[in-house]
Amino acid sequence: MGGGSPADGARVLISSGSRRWEVTADEEGRFSSPLLPSSQLSILVLHAEYLPQLLILPPSEDWRHELEVRLQPGERFAVYVENLTGDPLSDAEVWLRSQARSRRRAGEWEFFGWTDDLGRLQAARGSQRAVQIQVRAPGYRRLTKSLVDPRVHFRLRSAPALRGQVVDIVAGLPAALSRVELQVRSEKGFFRCPDLGKSYESLGRGGFLVGLPPHPGEYRVALRAAGGLVGFSESVQHDGRESPAPLFVRLPTRLDLSGYVRSPHSMLAETRVELLEVPGE
């Protein structure tokens, strides 16, 4: 990486849906990921001296990919994120908006990466002007600043969020969550609704945090965890201003069917699969 020279220390951010992983390139610019799902993968490479590089890998049954990433130099900058008490906020999303060359992309926010364990994101950008940075983190209000200095500090205020802990109903042990989905009640029942960010894999086993929208209503969380654990939290009333009390969820084990949907030529993502009961069988 790095135009022929190794980009040691580069952060490689890998995501699939709401799941994500991070690895660091060694002194030779090499990196190796853990085992990943066979779904579409987004790979974002960040380095303090080079422009970010985003790669999209389509769904594949191949268990190994060899990638060569060539980075271009850019203008260095750093973002530091903390709460009002001065504690660094890791896993905060950093978004950039700049004056684009084309009208179609003018004013669009582009995802730039997550802060590390020290609440910091170090990267480089191009020569665009009028750059704005927005920081988003579940449980905190979004904040936008202009990129005037190469070091930008953010102090985020708390915002309504739904927190909880999930355990296996049989073993009583914390569950390894793989999916967290916010739902809201309507006249026809509960339906998925947009959240203001969520975090669970970085909170310790079984913990989750979901940012609530500023709209009063009745909300719950749909959950899935390793070992076939599937279920819902109890529903809570949200006034649109304050965070509800933390939830404690016991998930039962259910039959978990998994597989692949594919056409003759490729894997099919975002396909709806319905399970039907056949009478008499």
Side-chain angles (χ1 to χ4, degrees):
M1 295 190 295
S5 60
D8 61 300
R11 296 175 62 197
V12 182
L13 312 178
I14 307 168
S15 60
S16 175
S18 60
R19 303 182 65 188
R20 63 193 189 199
W21 304 262
E22 178 174 341
V23 294
T24 303
D26 61 20
E27 60 184 9
E28 296 182 352
R30 297 180 179 274
F31 66 91
S32 179
S33 74
L35 289 176
L36 300 170
S38 57
S39 56
Q40 177 171 292
L41 298 173
S42 297
I43 301 175
L44 179 63
V45 182
L46 294 175
H47 192 278
E49 299 179 6
Y50 301 101
L51 297 177
Q53 182 75 269
L54 177 64
L55 306 174
I56 304 296
L57 295 183
S60 172
E61 294 179 338
D62 294 336
W63 67 275
R64 185 177 180 87
H65 291 278
E66 292 286 345
L67 301 176
E68 181 179 356
V69 185
R70 293 189 174 273
L71 305 179
Q72 300 298 322
E75 182 180 343
R76 300 182 63 169
F77 75 97
V79 176
Y80 300 86
V81 185
E82 60 185 29
N83 58 21
L84 294 183
T85 60
D87 300 318
L89 295 179
S90 62
D91 294 324
E93 295 182 357
V94 178
W95 295 71
L96 262 66
R97 179 168 63 185
S98 60
Q99 187 175 16
R101 296 179 180 178
S102 64
R103 293 183 178 180
R104 183 179 63 85
R105 297 187 59 84
E108 291 185 3
W109 287 104
E110 296 186 16
F111 176 67
F112 214 76
W114 300 286
T115 54
D116 59 20
D117 292 339
L118 300 177
R120 176 188 59 188
L121 183 145
Q122 298 183 93
R125 66 183 182 94
S127 58
Q128 305 98 327
R129 298 306 178 201
V131 173
Q132 288 185 308
I133 301 178
Q134 185 177 94
V135 174
R136 310 173 185 179
Y140 293 91
R141 302 187 187 280
R142 294 179 179 180
L143 185 60
T144 303
K145 290 187 176 183
S146 297
L147 181 54
V148 179
D149 299 318
R151 296 163 63 96
V152 187
H153 292 262
F154 287 82
R155 300 192 71 190
L156 303 187
R157 301 176 63 89
S158 297
L162 197 56
R163 295 170 170 82
Q165 178 70 35
V166 183
V167 300
D168 184 329
I169 195 173
V170 176
L173 299 176
L177 292 170
S178 60
R179 182 181 179 187
V180 176
E181 176 184 287
L182 183 65
Q183 298 183 345
V184 64
R185 182 186 288 277
S186 68
E187 295 180 354
K188 298 183 179 180
F190 281 95
F191 291 90
R192 180 180 180 180
C193 69
D195 57 63
L196 294 184
K198 56 190 172 187
S199 179
Y200 51 93
E201 292 185 327
S202 62
L203 294 181
R205 193 177 179 95
F208 68 86
L209 171 65
V210 182
L212 289 171
H215 311 299
E218 184 177 356
Y219 294 86
R220 73 177 185 185
V221 179
L223 301 156
R224 180 182 294 272
L229 302 178
V230 182
F232 304 93
S233 71
E234 62 180 286
S235 62
V236 296
Q237 292 291 338
H238 173 46
D239 60 8
R241 299 185 302 274
E242 301 294 333
S243 296
L247 298 172
F248 187 75
V249 186
R250 296 178 175 87
L251 285 185
T253 302
R254 298 183 180 179
L255 177 63
D256 188 19
L257 299 178
S258 62
Y260 302 99
V261 180
R262 61 180 305 162
S263 70
H265 307 290
S266 64
M267 307 288 286
L268 298 178
E270 303 296 333
T271 304
R272 180 175 180 178
V273 179
E274 295 183 352
L275 183 63
L276 303 177
E277 180 180 359
V278 180
E281 295 189 6

